[in-house]
Amino acid sequence: EDQVTQSPEALRLQEGESSSLNCSYTVSGLRGLFWYRQDPGKGPEFLFTLYSAGEEKEKERLKATLTKKESFLHITAPKPEDSATYLCAVNTNAGKSTFGDGTTLTVKP
Amino acid sequence: DTGVSQDPRHKITKRGQNVTFRCDPISEHNRLYWYRQTLGQGPEFLTYFQNEAQLEKSRLLSDRFSAERPKGSFSTLEIQRTEQGDSAMYLCASSLVPTPDEKLFFGSGTQLSVL
């Protein structure tokens, strides 16, 4: 069975304090690893898709990387508006996405 | 592109009642997914459709849950004889396959409270 584990569950940072979120996965036949952002009371919003080990994608202060067993979401010099829950998900040949439980990020000004 | 719409946004019901939720996906999207999310947890897969065909249903899903997508456009999710454990956010998502990134577009969800 596909499994996705995210750590830490919660992360509190000062504005400008860089850090990383981890997503480790166990799947048979990875077709893609996804990062989503979720704000309270809203549905998840797509950030990145990664397909193969060594791949990296960047968007503003966020950079996602992928290895054979895990992915990292690096946040550089975060701002309060980056506060949200960040979800990792994997797609397999089954066609559906399996999500982790997320990391809730709080950035204090 | 008006995004994925879900109705209602909130639903309060008594235990034992039936409820139905509606999802209108992005018009050109051929896949539609239903997920359930409780506080502090990630979205849990329930079922998905490609056009009007239901391709997979979670093995953990009770027979009280049923979903339809009759013309390959909007979808409904019905829960019969609701239980307190059904209280959750029900999320709908749509996607267009095949595409390079296969990303999901989510609605804002229906928050169900079973009293």
Side-chain angles (χ1 to χ4, degrees):
Chain A
E1 186 175 327
D2 302 334
Q3 286 196 324
V4 179
T5 303
Q6 291 189 246
S7 62
E9 290 184 11
L11 181 63
R12 297 171 68 90
L13 299 174
Q14 287 296 128
E15 185 173 0
E17 179 186 3
S18 302
S19 188
S20 295
L21 282 56
N22 177 264
C23 170
S24 61
Y25 60 91
T26 306
V27 298
S28 53
L30 180 71
R31 282 189 53 174
L33 184 138
F34 301 80
W35 283 97
Y36 290 84
R37 169 187 171 133
Q38 186 172 27
D39 292 300
K42 295 187 177 181
E45 180 180 349
F46 172 80
L47 293 173
F48 304 108
T49 309
L50 302 165
Y51 289 104
S52 55
E55 189 175 359
E56 297 183 354
K57 294 237 177 120
E58 284 189 68
K59 179 180 179 181
E60 296 180 356
R61 295 176 292 281
L62 301 176
K63 183 169 81 172
T65 62
L66 182 65
T67 71
K68 287 187 178 180
K69 293 185 178 181
E70 57 191 350
S71 176
F72 293 93
L73 184 65
H74 306 278
I75 303 176
T76 301
K79 298 182 177 181
E81 54 261 42
D82 295 322
S83 297
T85 295
Y86 291 86
L87 295 164
C88 172
V90 294
N91 264 23
T92 66
N93 292 326
K96 66 178 190 283
S97 291
T98 299
F99 284 81
D101 288 336
T103 293
T104 298
L105 173 67
T106 304
V107 182
K108 294 286 194 179
Chain B
D1 178 357
T2 57
V4 177
S5 298
Q6 292 190 245
D7 185 68
R9 288 295 313 276
H10 304 275
K11 179 70 177 178
I12 300 173
T13 191
K14 292 183 179 179
R15 190 174 51 187
Q17 298 294 305
N18 299 343
V19 294
T20 300
F21 310 140
R22 178 181 169 119
C23 172
D24 287 90
I26 293 172
S27 57
E28 64 268 27
H29 284 184
N30 50 5
R31 279 203 181 166
L32 186 148
Y33 301 78
W34 285 100
Y35 284 84
R36 174 173 62 189
Q37 187 176 28
T38 54
L39 199 62
Q41 305 292 310
E44 174 196 11
F45 171 78
L46 296 180
T47 188
Y48 83 99
F49 296 82
Q50 180 145 331
N51 300 312
E52 65 274 13
Q54 188 172 19
L55 295 188
E56 187 174 346
K57 184 176 176 180
S58 170
R59 288 169 293 177
L60 303 176
L61 199 60
S62 162
D63 289 343
R64 298 183 295 104
F65 287 70
S66 63
E68 293 184 340
R69 193 183 184 197
K71 296 183 179 179
S73 56
F74 74 93
S75 175
T76 58
L77 177 69
E78 181 182 18
I79 309 173
Q80 296 182 325
R81 305 180 302 283
T82 53
E83 301 173 357
Q84 288 187 327
D86 297 331
S87 295
M89 174 76 82
Y90 289 82
L91 292 165
C92 176
S94 68
S95 68
L96 179 64
V97 296
T99 52
D101 54 24
E102 296 188 16
K103 61 188 177 185
L104 300 180
F105 292 80
F106 282 86
S108 293
T110 294
Q111 183 67 52
L112 173 66
S113 298
V114 181
L115 305 177

